[in-house]
Amino acid sequence: LEAYVAGRFSLTDVATGEPLNLTLLGGEVERGFYWVYLEGEIPAETTELVISNTVMMDAIPSQTNRVNFRRDGETQTLVFRGASRPQAYRIR
């Protein structure tokens, strides 16, 4: 699972073009959804990320993925569907 997710999910610092290192924490099934938890440090100088998420979209064209960013007690969500393109995330 780790190799599969790593090949289909990435966070990239817009300013440097460098991908962030992510650690797979695990996964769980909850009410018919499978949640995968990844963790990574965002460098202090980073102001914007590009997120690419195509997990399971190669096998299920109607797949919907949610990416939750939790920072300073606040959660922001990005939604990826089907052939979604990478999305930008501005760090507040």
Side-chain angles (χ1 to χ4, degrees):
L1 178 63
E2 182 177 334
Y4 175 81
V5 170
R8 288 165 180 79
F9 181 85
S10 65
L11 301 175
T12 303
D13 184 322
V14 170
T16 66
E18 292 293 320
L20 271 64
N21 291 321
L22 300 174
T23 301
L24 178 67
L25 300 178
E28 69 177 337
V29 176
E30 179 185 351
R31 289 181 251 145
F33 295 97
Y34 185 72
W35 297 91
V36 175
Y37 301 98
L38 299 164
E39 181 178 69
E41 284 214 25
I42 299 173
E45 63 278 359
T46 300
T47 60
E48 188 173 10
L49 298 171
V50 170
I51 298 92
S52 177
N53 183 347
T54 61
V55 175
M56 296 303 295
M57 292 179 183
D58 51 342
I60 305 168
S62 62
Q63 174 70 21
T64 297
N65 295 330
R66 296 183 190 287
V67 176
N68 293 324
F69 287 92
R70 206 168 288 161
R71 190 173 173 97
D72 300 328
E74 188 176 320
T75 301
Q76 290 180 274
T77 302
L78 296 177
V79 177
F80 295 82
R81 290 186 179 91
S84 288
R85 295 197 166 172
Q87 296 185 40
Y89 170 73
R90 296 207 97 150
I91 299 168
R92 299 185 204 178

